[in-house]
Coordinates of all heavy atoms in Angstrom, one line a residue:
I140 N 7.0 -7.2 1.3 CA 5.9 -7.1 2.2 C 6.0 -5.9 3.1 O 7.1 -5.4 3.4 CB 5.7 -8.3 3.0 CG1 6.9 -8.6 3.9 CG2 5.3 -9.6 2.2 CD1 6.6 -8.4 5.4
M141 N 4.9 -5.3 3.5 CA 4.8 -4.4 4.6 C 4.0 -5.0 5.7 O 3.2 -5.9 5.5 CB 4.2 -3.1 4.1 CG 5.0 -2.2 3.2 SD 4.4 -0.6 3.1 CE 5.2 0.0 1.6
I142 N 4.3 -4.4 6.9 CA 3.5 -4.9 8.0 C 2.4 -3.8 8.3 O 2.7 -2.6 8.4 CB 4.4 -5.0 9.3 CG1 5.2 -6.3 9.0 CG2 3.5 -5.2 10.5 CD1 6.3 -6.5 10.1
Q143 N 1.1 -4.3 8.4 CA 0.0 -3.4 8.6 C -0.1 -3.2 10.1 O -0.2 -4.2 10.9 CB -1.3 -3.9 8.1 CG -2.4 -2.9 8.3 CD -3.7 -3.3 7.7 OE1 -3.8 -4.4 7.0 NE2 -4.8 -2.5 7.9
V144 N -0.1 -1.9 10.6 CA -0.2 -1.6 12.0 C -1.5 -1.0 12.3 O -1.9 -0.1 11.6 CB 1.0 -0.7 12.4 CG1 1.0 -0.5 13.9 CG2 2.3 -1.2 11.9
N145 N -2.2 -1.5 13.3 CA -3.5 -0.9 13.7 C -3.2 0.3 14.7 O -3.3 0.1 15.9 CB -4.4 -2.0 14.3 CG -5.7 -1.4 14.7 OD1 -6.0 -0.2 14.6 ND2 -6.6 -2.3 15.0
T146 N -2.8 1.4 14.1 CA -2.4 2.5 15.0 C -3.5 3.2 15.7 O -3.3 3.8 16.8 CB -1.7 3.6 14.1 OG1 -2.6 3.9 13.0 CG2 -0.4 3.2 13.6
S147 N -4.8 3.0 15.2 CA -5.9 3.7 15.9 C -6.5 2.8 17.0 O -7.4 3.2 17.7 CB -6.9 4.1 14.9 OG -7.4 3.1 14.1
G148 N -6.1 1.5 17.0 CA -6.7 0.6 18.0 C -8.2 0.3 17.8 O -8.8 -0.3 18.6
E149 N -8.7 0.6 16.6 CA -10.1 0.3 16.4 C -10.3 -1.2 16.1 O -9.5 -1.7 15.3 CB -10.6 1.1 15.1 CG -10.8 2.6 15.4 CD -10.8 3.4 14.1 OE1 -9.8 3.7 13.5 OE2 -12.0 3.6 13.6
L150 N -11.2 -1.8 16.8 CA -11.3 -3.3 16.7 C -11.7 -3.7 15.3 O -11.3 -4.8 14.9 CB -12.4 -3.8 17.7 CG -12.0 -3.6 19.2 CD1 -13.2 -4.0 20.1 CD2 -10.8 -4.4 19.5
A151 N -12.4 -2.9 14.5 CA -12.8 -3.3 13.2 C -11.7 -3.3 12.2 O -11.8 -3.9 11.1 CB -13.9 -2.4 12.7
K152 N -10.6 -2.7 12.6 CA -9.5 -2.6 11.6 C -8.5 -3.8 11.8 O -8.2 -4.2 12.9 CB -8.7 -1.3 11.8 CG -9.5 -0.1 11.5 CD -8.8 0.8 10.5 CE -9.7 1.9 9.9 NZ -9.9 3.0 10.8
S153 N -7.9 -4.2 10.7 CA -6.9 -5.2 10.7 C -5.6 -4.5 11.1 O -5.5 -3.3 11.3 CB -6.7 -5.8 9.3 OG -7.8 -6.2 8.8
G154 N -4.6 -5.3 11.4 CA -3.3 -4.8 11.7 C -2.8 -5.2 13.1 O -3.6 -5.5 13.9
I155 N -1.5 -5.2 13.2 CA -0.9 -5.7 14.5 C -0.8 -4.4 15.4 O -0.8 -3.3 14.9 CB 0.5 -6.3 14.2 CG1 1.0 -7.0 15.4 CG2 1.5 -5.3 13.7 CD1 2.2 -7.9 15.1
S156 N -0.8 -4.6 16.7 CA -0.7 -3.4 17.6 C 0.7 -2.9 17.5 O 1.7 -3.6 17.3 CB -1.2 -3.8 19.0 OG -0.1 -4.3 19.7
P157 N 0.8 -1.5 17.7 CA 2.2 -0.9 17.6 C 3.2 -1.6 18.5 O 4.4 -1.7 18.0 CB 1.9 0.5 18.0 CG 0.5 0.8 17.7 CD -0.2 -0.5 17.9
K158 N 2.9 -2.1 19.6 CA 3.9 -2.6 20.5 C 4.4 -4.0 20.1 O 5.4 -4.5 20.6 CB 3.5 -2.6 22.0 CG 2.2 -3.4 22.3 CD 1.9 -3.3 23.8 CE 0.8 -4.3 24.2 NZ -0.4 -4.2 23.4
E159 N 3.7 -4.6 19.1 CA 4.1 -5.9 18.6 C 4.9 -5.9 17.3 O 5.3 -6.9 16.8 CB 2.9 -6.8 18.4 CG 2.2 -7.2 19.7 CD 0.9 -7.9 19.5 OE1 0.1 -7.4 18.6 OE2 0.6 -8.9 20.1
V160 N 5.1 -4.7 16.8 CA 5.7 -4.5 15.5 C 7.1 -5.0 15.4 O 7.5 -5.9 14.5 CB 5.6 -3.1 14.9 CG1 6.3 -2.9 13.6 CG2 4.1 -2.7 14.8
T161 N 7.9 -4.6 16.3 CA 9.4 -5.0 16.3 C 9.5 -6.5 16.3 O 10.3 -7.1 15.6 CB 10.1 -4.3 17.5 OG1 10.0 -2.9 17.3 CG2 11.6 -4.8 17.5
Q162 N 8.7 -7.1 17.2 CA 8.8 -8.6 17.3 C 8.4 -9.3 16.0 O 9.1 -10.2 15.6 CB 7.8 -9.0 18.4 CG 8.1 -10.3 19.1 CD 7.0 -10.7 20.0 OE1 6.1 -9.9 20.3 NE2 7.0 -11.9 20.5
L163 N 7.4 -8.8 15.3 CA 7.0 -9.4 14.0 C 8.1 -9.2 13.0 O 8.4 -10.1 12.2 CB 5.6 -8.9 13.6 CG 5.1 -9.5 12.3 CD1 5.0 -11.0 12.3 CD2 3.7 -8.9 12.0
V164 N 8.6 -8.0 12.9 CA 9.7 -7.7 11.9 C 10.9 -8.6 12.2 O 11.4 -9.3 11.3 CB 10.2 -6.2 12.0 CG1 11.4 -6.0 11.0 CG2 9.1 -5.3 11.6
E165 N 11.3 -8.8 13.5 CA 12.4 -9.6 13.8 C 12.1 -11.1 13.4 O 12.9 -11.8 12.8 CB 12.6 -9.6 15.3 CG 13.9 -10.3 15.8 CD 14.2 -10.0 17.2 OE1 13.3 -9.7 18.0 OE2 15.4 -10.2 17.6
Y166 N 10.9 -11.5 13.6 CA 10.5 -12.8 13.3 C 10.6 -13.1 11.8 O 11.2 -14.1 11.3 CB 9.0 -13.1 13.7 CG 8.5 -14.5 13.3 CD1 8.8 -15.6 14.2 CD2 7.9 -14.7 12.1 CE1 8.4 -16.8 13.8 CE2 7.5 -16.0 11.8 CZ 7.8 -17.1 12.6 OH 7.4 -18.3 12.3
I167 N 10.1 -12.1 11.0 CA 10.2 -12.2 9.5 C 11.7 -12.2 9.0 O 12.0 -13.0 8.2 CB 9.4 -11.1 8.9 CG1 7.9 -11.3 9.1 CG2 9.7 -11.0 7.4 CD1 7.0 -10.2 8.7
L168 N 12.5 -11.4 9.6 CA 13.9 -11.3 9.2 C 14.6 -12.7 9.5 O 15.4 -13.1 8.7 CB 14.6 -10.2 9.9 CG 14.2 -8.8 9.5 CD1 14.9 -7.7 10.4 CD2 14.3 -8.5 8.1
K169 N 14.2 -13.3 10.6 CA 14.9 -14.5 11.0 C 14.3 -15.7 10.3 O 15.0 -16.7 10.0 CB 14.8 -14.7 12.5 CG 15.7 -13.8 13.3 CD 15.9 -14.3 14.7 CE 16.9 -13.5 15.5 NZ 16.4 -13.1 16.8
N170 N 13.0 -15.7 10.1 CA 12.3 -17.0 9.7 C 11.7 -17.0 8.3 O 11.2 -18.1 7.9 CB 11.2 -17.3 10.7 CG 11.8 -17.4 12.1 OD1 12.5 -18.4 12.4 ND2 11.5 -16.4 12.9
C171 N 11.7 -15.9 7.6 CA 11.0 -15.9 6.4 C 11.9 -15.4 5.2 O 11.8 -14.3 4.8 CB 9.8 -14.9 6.4 SG 8.6 -15.4 7.7
P172 N 12.8 -16.3 4.8 CA 13.8 -15.9 3.8 C 13.3 -15.5 2.5 O 13.9 -14.9 1.7 CB 14.7 -17.1 3.7 CG 13.9 -18.2 4.2 CD 13.0 -17.7 5.2
N173 N 12.0 -15.9 2.2 CA 11.4 -15.6 0.9 C 10.7 -14.2 0.9 O 10.2 -13.8 -0.1 CB 10.4 -16.7 0.5 CG 11.1 -18.0 0.3 OD1 12.3 -18.1 -0.1 ND2 10.4 -19.1 0.7
L174 N 10.7 -13.6 2.1 CA 10.0 -12.3 2.2 C 11.0 -11.2 2.3 O 12.1 -11.4 3.0 CB 9.1 -12.3 3.4 CG 8.0 -13.4 3.4 CD1 7.1 -13.1 4.6 CD2 7.2 -13.4 2.1
E175 N 10.7 -10.0 1.7 CA 11.6 -8.9 1.9 C 10.8 -7.8 2.7 O 9.9 -7.2 2.1 CB 12.0 -8.3 0.5 CG 12.8 -7.1 0.5 CD 13.2 -6.6 -0.9 OE1 13.1 -7.4 -1.8 OE2 13.5 -5.4 -1.0
F176 N 11.2 -7.6 3.9 CA 10.5 -6.6 4.7 C 10.8 -5.2 4.2 O 11.9 -4.8 4.1 CB 11.0 -6.7 6.2 CG 10.6 -5.5 7.0 CD1 9.2 -5.3 7.3 CD2 11.5 -4.6 7.5 CE1 8.8 -4.2 8.0 CE2 11.1 -3.5 8.3 CZ 9.8 -3.3 8.5

Side-chain angles (χ1 to χ4, degrees):
I140 59 112
M141 289 196 195
I142 289 174
Q143 183 178 358
V144 187
N145 185 350
T146 50
S147 56
E149 290 163 272
L150 292 176
K152 292 234 168 83
S153 309
I155 192 167
S156 85
K158 60 180 191 305
E159 294 171 312
V160 174
T161 297
Q162 207 187 346
L163 182 55
V164 175
E165 187 172 23
Y166 181 85
I167 290 170
L168 293 177
K169 283 195 177 139
N170 302 288
C171 303
N173 299 326
L174 304 184
E175 179 180 337
F176 168 65

